[in-house]
Amino acid sequence: MEEHKKRIIKAIQYIDSHLHEDLSLEKIAEVGMYSSFHFHRIFKLITGETLQNYIIRKKIEKSAFYLSVKKDIEIKEIYLDLGFSNHSVFSKTFKKHYGIAPSSFRNSAPEFFHRVLQKASKNGQVNTVFSQYICHIDNLLNWTDMNLKVGVKELPEMNLASVMSLGIINVEPSFNVLIEWAKKRQLFPRDNVKMISVYHDSCKVTPLDKVRIHSCMLLDERLKEQNEVVFSETIEKGKCIVGSGELTLDDFEKCWVSLFLWMNEHHYSMRKAFPFEIYHTNFKEHPEGKMIVDFCIPVY
């Protein structure tokens, strides 16, 4: 089973990097080194969904993310970039997934103030409900001022060793795998080692059991020796909104919401890059479970 997981992870990485292309079963099976017949069955066994459902879900979730945070992009540009042939196909698919049209979604979720929830109604239809979890914006802004130091910085290129996790619950085990790998190569423990989480999905639009997060370790140089479990990843240098503070894990959601709010209020646009967290301390070593974290959004 572990060998199958390695191959499926490789296929998932390919899919997520080529959402704008025609992703045929034959091509993806080839990337995973399977026959088309066996790949379809094994993919569903490991991920819990069919290949086609996975591809459609990833495209729709990415479109929802862009609709929420990239207000300067026309809806047409978003759906064409993700490989939808026309507005009708995109709108129908989006509404089936979230229960609301793309334009209404954009208007209803202006600044990530609300969390997208899905629930089945009595007739089996999926209704999208925007549940406000921060009662008043002023409270959030006051909390941010008290707990985060926010600014825009030019960050250098970062070379990472990464392990993929599917689902929030698998992030910590992925870090454990990474640390064991690093210990064998005398890369851990060492002074000032930095651990990083890179969010390849947004927890606002992707179910928490399906969200893809990379558990990473910052290296001095690009990783040369890699495999399907521990692989090389690079965060490109560039401008980022950075929110820094000493916080508990329970504070992370508010931090991200407040940073996206700050981004929109200051008229920045998110680059086509993934948000990430840099951990400077370990919450397990703090009596109150706090850690020093940088929350980073790549912008231009």
Side-chain angles (χ1 to χ4, degrees), residues 4-47:
H4 288 310
K5 287 182 179 179
K6 292 177 184 178
R7 294 188 187 184
I8 294 300
I9 285 173
K10 189 174 182 181
I12 286 173
Q13 289 176 313
Y14 180 84
I15 293 168
D16 291 356
S17 299
H18 296 80
L19 284 174
H20 59 289
E21 298 179 6
D22 182 19
L23 294 167
S24 67
L25 170 61
E26 291 73 18
K27 177 60 181 178
I28 301 171
E30 180 184 344
V31 171
M33 296 181 291
Y34 286 105
S35 69
S36 299
F37 176 80
H38 287 100
F39 177 78
H40 194 276
R41 178 175 59 84
I42 293 170
F43 187 92
K44 184 175 182 181
L45 177 67
I46 291 176
T47 65

Side-chain angles (χ1 to χ4, degrees), residues 109-246:
E111 313 290 1
F112 265 55
F113 297 161
H114 301 78
R115 179 169 186 165
V116 178
L117 302 173
Q118 290 186 352
K119 67 178 182 180
S121 64
K122 293 181 180 179
N123 60 5
Q125 297 294 318
V126 176
N127 295 325
T128 300
V129 181
F130 291 91
S131 171
Q132 186 171 345
Y133 62 93
I134 297 175
C135 296
H136 198 278
I137 299 306
D138 286 343
N139 290 341
L140 175 58
L141 295 175
N142 290 336
W143 183 91
T144 302
D145 289 340
M146 291 170 51
N147 293 279
L148 283 181
K149 182 179 179 181
V150 182
V152 178
K153 301 179 181 180
E154 286 284 341
L155 297 186
E157 179 181 87
M158 300 182 203
N159 296 307
L160 310 176
S162 303
V163 174
M164 181 192 297
S165 60
L166 292 175
I168 290 288
I169 195 172
N170 293 314
V171 172
E172 185 172 354
S174 293
F175 271 118
N176 292 337
V177 170
L178 181 61
I179 289 171
E180 288 304 312
W181 172 89
K183 284 180 178 178
K184 293 177 182 178
R185 289 152 183 81
Q186 298 183 326
L187 296 172
F188 187 90
R190 56 191 170 94
D191 292 339
N192 299 319
V193 63
K194 296 290 190 297
M195 309 302 282
I196 296 175
S197 287
V198 180
Y199 288 83
H200 287 254
D201 291 319
S202 167
C203 295
K204 298 301 179 189
V205 295
T206 301
L208 296 183
D209 62 334
K210 298 184 184 298
V211 66
R212 179 159 77 94
I213 301 171
H214 288 183
S215 303
C216 311
M217 179 182 294
L218 181 62
L219 303 178
D220 293 331
E221 57 185 22
R222 188 163 298 190
L223 180 65
K224 296 177 181 177
E225 174 209 347
Q226 55 184 317
N227 53 53
E228 291 84 354
V229 176
V230 180
F231 52 88
S232 176
E233 184 170 7
T234 301
I235 296 176
E236 301 294 339
K237 67 178 181 179
K239 186 184 297 182
C240 288
I241 294 171
V242 180
S244 303
E246 187 174 26

Side-chain angles (χ1 to χ4, degrees), residues 67-69 71 105-114 260 264:
L67 287 168
S68 296
V69 302
K71 300 305 178 65
F105 180 94
R106 169 171 272 181
N107 293 333
S108 300
E111 313 290 1
F112 265 55
F113 297 161
H114 301 78
F260 278 109
N264 287 319

